[in-house]
Amino acid sequence: MTQMPRIDWSAAQGSPSEVVVKTIHCLEETRQALQLVQDRKTVVLILDRLTDNHAQRVVDWMAGGTCAIDGQTFWIGEKTFMFVPNQVKIESKRPSPLPVSPCLKTG
């Protein structure tokens, strides 16, 4: 009887990642977006359909959940953020990632 080859899951996790771009229309959609990050997908959220207060709540929740899996939060543009799981490396000429939960309001 031949032995079945073992699957090295750590190598499989190094495979190319999926990037999901999602516009959030209401707070309830945040749960789905956070699940995507927890499933090790990079998520770009566009929050321009939300009020500033609701957008801030989404960023806070997403940033906290992303931080919990040792991921990072990046600011892309006005009300647009990228949430990256820990196995994805981002190279950018921008300074290091933002604090855990960036503030949307300026000065």
Side-chain angles (χ1 to χ4, degrees), residues 24-78:
I24 299 291
H25 296 90
C26 63
L27 293 176
E28 291 77 23
E29 294 176 5
T30 310
R31 184 182 315 269
Q32 296 167 339
L34 185 54
Q35 185 61 53
L36 292 168
V37 177
Q38 290 174 342
D39 291 342
R40 304 297 189 217
K41 294 179 171 112
T42 297
V43 177
V44 176
L45 288 187
I46 302 165
L47 306 172
D48 61 353
R49 305 276 180 173
L50 300 175
T51 66
D52 286 346
N53 288 337
H54 285 160
Q56 185 66 59
R57 288 183 65 195
V58 169
V59 170
D60 290 344
W61 196 27
M62 289 293 297
T66 302
C67 182
I69 60 166
D70 293 325
Q72 296 180 2
T73 299
F74 291 89
W75 175 76
I76 302 296
E78 185 176 341

Side-chain angles (χ1 to χ4, degrees), residues 59-103:
V59 170
D60 290 344
W61 196 27
M62 289 293 297
T66 302
C67 182
I69 60 166
D70 293 325
Q72 296 180 2
T73 299
F74 291 89
W75 175 76
I76 302 296
E78 185 176 341
K79 286 192 173 183
T80 305
F81 292 85
M82 181 169 60
F83 302 91
V84 182
N86 65 350
Q87 82 277 9
V88 176
K89 180 180 177 185
I90 301 294
E91 292 184 22
S92 173
K93 292 184 181 192
R94 284 188 177 185
S96 62
L98 292 170
V100 173
S101 187
C103 182

